[in-house]
Amino acid sequence: MIRENQKYLNTIQIFLDIFVIYFSFICTFYIRFFLIKDGQSSFTLSQSLVIITLILPVYLFLYNWFDLYSSRRIKAFAIEAWCIIGTNLLAILILVSALYLFKEMNFARSVLGLFPMICSLFTILYRGFIRYVLRRFRKQGY
């Protein structure tokens, strides 16, 4: 049953990735500007989310390029985790380059440093949970 619905599972995976990227950025913004109170932001959260929305297609392209939307039954979880970390680092480098090219120097560097770490952590955790759930379903005969 899982194999027949792989296309639907991949679509759900893409939407979950989008949610995790946004959620990770909101958590990063909250940590930087509400838990660590030593700086000011020239961007509001909504303005920052616009920038993340613009980089989102790059994330999805890189996730696909690193083969993170293929079947993971035979792929080791450690390899998938390293691909997630690499994708997040590459995406943040592209974002930093774009911010530099458009002379947008007011974006918090600490947010740019924390975001790939938090996004990688949340993505690895939720993908590990999905692997666990799918493995249990397969053991039950689905």
Side-chain angles (χ1 to χ4, degrees), residues 42-79:
S42 58
F43 283 101
T44 64
L45 178 61
S46 61
Q47 290 170 327
S48 299
L49 286 176
V50 168
I51 294 173
I52 293 302
T53 302
L54 294 175
I55 197 72
L56 193 62
V58 173
Y59 263 97
L60 296 177
F61 171 76
L62 290 174
Y63 277 18
N64 192 34
W65 191 45
F66 276 83
D67 206 26
L68 291 172
Y69 294 125
S70 65
S71 177
R72 291 175 297 282
R73 279 198 323 191
I74 57 172
K75 195 186 305 183
F77 186 66
I79 293 172

Side-chain angles (χ1 to χ4, degrees), residues 9-142:
L9 291 172
N10 285 346
T11 303
I12 292 169
Q13 185 88 38
I14 291 169
F15 284 113
L16 284 172
D17 283 336
I18 291 169
F19 173 77
V20 166
I21 291 168
Y22 277 115
F23 182 74
S24 298
F25 188 79
I26 291 168
C27 287
T28 303
F29 195 87
Y30 178 79
I31 289 169
R32 172 58 183 96
F33 294 110
F34 296 106
L35 293 181
I36 305 171
K37 297 185 180 215
D38 65 343
Q40 298 178 16
S41 173
S42 58
F43 283 101
T44 64
L45 178 61
S46 61
Q47 290 170 327
S48 299
L49 286 176
V50 168
I51 294 173
I52 293 302
T53 302
L54 294 175
I55 197 72
L56 193 62
V58 173
Y59 263 97
L60 296 177
F61 171 76
L62 290 174
Y63 277 18
N64 192 34
W65 191 45
F66 276 83
D67 206 26
L68 291 172
Y69 294 125
S70 65
S71 177
R72 291 175 297 282
R73 279 198 323 191
I74 57 172
K75 195 186 305 183
F77 186 66
I79 293 172
E80 184 177 359
W82 278 112
C83 287
I84 290 168
I85 292 169
T87 299
N88 282 303
L89 291 176
L90 188 56
I92 207 69
L93 285 175
I94 292 169
L95 177 60
V96 168
S97 300
L99 289 172
Y100 178 77
L101 287 175
F102 293 113
K103 296 180 175 42
E104 197 56 63
M105 301 299 170
N106 295 325
F107 206 81
R109 290 180 300 275
S110 56
V111 170
L112 293 173
L114 280 174
F115 176 63
M117 290 185 279
I118 291 174
C119 189
S120 295
L121 176 69
F122 286 162
T123 304
I124 289 169
L125 288 176
Y126 103 82
R127 284 183 176 244
F129 176 73
I130 289 193
R131 269 183 179 252
Y132 173 76
V133 168
L134 289 176
R135 188 173 296 133
R136 295 216 17 148
F137 279 145
R138 284 187 188 104
K139 283 182 181 178
Q140 293 175 358
Y142 293 104

